[in-house]
């Protein structure tokens, strides 16, 4: 479960039927910062697709700091904070960690470390998942 900017709790179970992109990050993490522009680009390309949900999860649970970070860098990404313990199968010991859950809520992609999520291959991957 995660909390959105309004303090509303969102459970992954409630998101079944959507493809969910989850990125665990922190404002002090250089690889997280480095990959953020590519995630923002990907987010903007799926903004009008109601079958895809993006959860940018601040592992420090500091909403004020993370929202300032997004605003300063002109990112439109939705910031969430953990609303309880994150399962170790989702987040081990390193950030950034990115997961993609299919419409059934199953993890179909997990990547620890920085990546370029704005590439065509990854965009096609998400598009294909939304069509399934």
């Amino acid at each position: 479960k995660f909390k959105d900017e309004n303090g509303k709790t969102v459970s992954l179970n409630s998101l079944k039927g959507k493809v969910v992109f989850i990125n665990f990050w922190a404002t002090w993490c250089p690889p997280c910062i480095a990959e953020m522009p590519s995630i923002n680009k990907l987010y903007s390309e799926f903004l009008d697709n109601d079958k895809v949900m993006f959860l940018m999860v601040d592992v420090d649970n500091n909403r004020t700091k993370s929202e300032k970070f997004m605003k300063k860098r002109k990112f439109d990404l939705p910031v969430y904070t953990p609303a309880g313990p994150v399962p170790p199968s989702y987040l081990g010991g390193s950030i950034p960690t990115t997961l993609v859950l299919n419409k059934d809520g199953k993890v179909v992609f997990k990547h620890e470390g920085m990546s370029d999520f704005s590439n065509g291959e990854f965009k096609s991957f998400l598009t294909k998942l939304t069509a399934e």
Side-chain angles (χ1 to χ4, degrees):
K1 293 183 179 184
F2 304 98
K3 284 189 181 177
D4 69 9
E5 70 276 4
N6 300 314
K8 181 182 168 205
T9 301
V10 177
S11 74
L12 292 179
N13 282 339
S14 72
L15 299 176
K16 284 193 177 163
K18 294 182 183 278
V19 174
V20 184
F21 178 100
I22 306 172
N23 180 266
F24 294 99
W25 67 286
T27 57
W28 49 263
C29 162
C32 301
I33 295 166
E35 75 176 358
M36 203 67 70
S38 77
I39 296 172
N40 195 65
K41 182 173 186 225
L42 181 71
Y43 176 72
S44 68
E45 292 175 9
F46 283 91
L47 193 57
D48 296 327
N49 188 331
D50 63 357
K51 294 180 183 169
V52 182
M53 176 86 170
F54 282 74
L55 302 176
M56 300 299 295
V57 181
D58 172 17
V59 297
D60 285 337
N61 212 356
N62 186 335
R63 174 165 306 286
T64 304
K65 190 174 182 182
S66 58
E67 286 178 351
K68 277 184 186 173
F69 170 92
M70 292 293 185
K71 195 173 198 174
K72 180 181 177 184
R73 288 165 178 80
K74 296 183 173 46
F75 295 140
D76 299 321
L77 297 161
V79 174
Y80 288 78
T81 53
V86 177
S89 61
Y90 281 20
L91 179 62
S94 67
I95 55 170
T97 293
T98 303
L99 304 170
V100 174
L101 281 57
N102 67 13
K103 290 180 180 179
D104 295 325
K106 303 241 185 312
V107 176
V108 293
F109 175 88
K110 181 176 181 180
H111 180 78
E112 293 182 352
M114 190 182 95
S115 190
D116 175 7
F117 293 104
S118 64
N119 69 59
E121 186 180 341
F122 194 81
K123 185 179 172 187
S124 295
F125 170 68
L126 281 189
T127 301
K128 183 181 172 208
L129 285 174
T130 64
E132 290 179 356

